[in-house]
Amino acid sequence: MNAIRTLCFATAALSSYAALFYRLSQVRRSWRDGAYRALIATLLLQCLTFTMGAVAMGGGSFLGVGNLAILIMHLAAVAFCVAAQIILLRWAATDEAAARGTRYWLIIGIVLDVLLTVLFFLADGPGRPLSDFDGTSRPLLLTYLLVFIVSQAVPCVTIYRQCGPYARMTDNASLRQALRMLSVAAVVLFLYCTARTVNILTAAAGVDIGAWKLASNIFSASGIVILSLSLINSLWGPPVSRLVEWARSYRSYRALHPLWRDLYEASPDIALEPPGASVSDLNYRLHRRVVEIRDGWRDLRPYIDRGANSAGGAAAAAAGTGGAAGGGTGGEAGAELRQAFAEAAQIRQALQAKRTGIVPDHSKDAGDFDDRDTDNFVAEVAWLTQVAAAYSKLCKAS
């Protein structure tokens, strides 16, 4: 069990050092920024906390004092929580509010660290076995452990409550992402506090919960990894965002294929390159596919029947199929889904009419073509993807 606990401390420490070294690489251009200095202080305390945690798992004394590594770990953890509060204030609050909040949290941190130090030595912390720090019935040491847990739980709650409003206030996408991740870290670390409290109280009552004791260590390591990632999101955030955007574009590109294929077969001239041509730029390919679908759609105008009976029948058939596919959606989303099925049904009818050479008496060739606003490419892709999905379902149903 100690090996797993040591591994959790080591994981948290390594993630903390990785975040620290990355941020230190920015020291030349950022040192004058108060928020940056607070961030470096936070990461240094974070590294110290979990380094001392790993050292404490070895047992024995540190610098000649028994269990000193545990005390340093706890004192650093309190300071780390205070620093995290300060960095959050520096990120999101006004200068005056940040200064006022900084003074408040510094006073709280100093008082707590002094209290923990006094309790540690009054409870004979240096002379106690390591297992007593998992939970004990000795009043002073039990008080020490509970005060420490409260000092960790309260900042988790305050950070979580602050991150949501701050994330909604900022226009900086990177900061908004960091704040949201920080709120997740606060939740996971609060679960650590809860699990650690259970460990302490059950041990004090003489109840052995076995391997469940490890839950607190797992929550702690997971929370610190998430927190570290939130503090260096400028490193991994943009590449991940690009990857997500690429995956979204690829899904749209594939989803549009069935509709594009049938339109291309009916009007081969819509393609700028042969279908088998390899183009490495996915954004270019997606733009070309959207343009070619629209061109193919326009080529069908002479075959799209504007007659009320035909359009009504197509819409009714589309709505019936759409109801099976998207039942339960209401309002604007439901109306858009029905429209997508109606237009997909018109495309199928027009393709069939073009294959047979039958031109309807009332075609859309002489009327307005119901184009959407093509200035918003993202919205255009989303709409055509809906139409393509409806078209595929209608083809399968026939």
Side-chain angles (χ1 to χ4, degrees), residues 4-89:
I4 296 176
R5 295 174 68 183
T6 302
L7 178 62
C8 288
F9 277 118
T11 300
L14 287 173
S15 70
S16 302
Y17 280 111
L20 175 63
F21 291 147
Y22 169 69
R23 285 299 184 180
L24 284 175
S25 68
Q26 304 168 333
V27 67
R28 283 189 177 181
R29 66 174 183 270
S30 303
W31 184 249
R32 292 184 179 180
D33 184 359
Y36 175 80
R37 294 195 298 272
L39 175 59
I40 294 299
T42 302
L43 289 170
L44 284 169
L45 291 166
Q46 188 176 316
C47 292
L48 178 61
T49 298
F50 294 97
T51 300
M52 288 294 102
V55 171
M57 287 298 98
S61 64
F62 179 69
L63 300 178
V65 180
N67 296 318
L68 181 60
I70 293 178
L71 176 62
I72 295 175
M73 174 181 67
H74 289 166
L75 298 181
V78 171
F80 158 65
C81 287
V82 169
Q85 288 282 355
I86 292 172
I87 189 176
L88 185 58
L89 290 169

Side-chain angles (χ1 to χ4, degrees), residues 40 63 84 97 128 141 144 223 248-249 253-254 273 307 330 354 362 374 376 387:
I40 294 299
L63 300 178
R128 304 309 308 164
L141 193 53
Y144 167 87
R248 186 182 296 115
S249 296
Y253 181 78
R254 296 295 302 168
E273 294 104 358
K354 187 172 184 178
H362 302 284
T374 56
N376 188 337
V387 174

Side-chain angles (χ1 to χ4, degrees), residues 241-284:
S241 296
R242 287 194 295 270
L243 180 61
V244 170
E245 182 60 32
W246 184 92
R248 186 182 296 115
S249 296
Y250 183 75
R251 284 197 305 270
S252 298
Y253 181 78
R254 296 295 302 168
L256 293 173
H257 177 73
L259 178 59
W260 172 86
R261 179 196 60 217
D262 289 357
L263 291 172
Y264 170 75
E265 289 176 357
S267 306
D269 291 342
I270 63 175
L272 185 63
E273 294 104 358
S278 176
V279 182
S280 59
D281 187 351
L282 179 61
N283 286 333
Y284 171 80

Side-chain angles (χ1 to χ4, degrees), residues 294-365:
R294 278 304 191 184
D295 288 346
W297 200 332
R298 288 186 177 89
D299 282 352
L300 291 178
R301 283 185 297 182
Y303 302 95
I304 295 178
D305 195 341
R306 293 193 298 124
N309 293 336
S310 176
T321 309
T329 58
E332 186 176 344
E336 189 164 281
L337 182 62
R338 287 191 295 273
Q339 185 181 355
F341 271 97
E343 297 202 21
Q346 284 188 334
I347 291 172
R348 287 190 71 241
Q349 281 188 335
L351 285 170
Q352 181 62 28
K354 187 172 184 178
R355 293 188 193 103
T356 58
I358 300 174
V359 179
D361 293 334
H362 302 284
S363 73
K364 283 201 173 186
D365 191 39

Side-chain angles (χ1 to χ4, degrees), residues 256 260 284-296 298 374 377 380-381 384:
L256 293 173
W260 172 86
Y284 171 80
R285 284 190 285 173
L286 183 59
H287 273 80
R288 282 304 312 164
R289 180 150 290 184
V290 168
V291 170
E292 289 164 10
I293 286 174
R294 278 304 191 184
D295 288 346
R298 288 186 177 89
T374 56
F377 181 73
E380 178 76 354
V381 170
L384 289 179

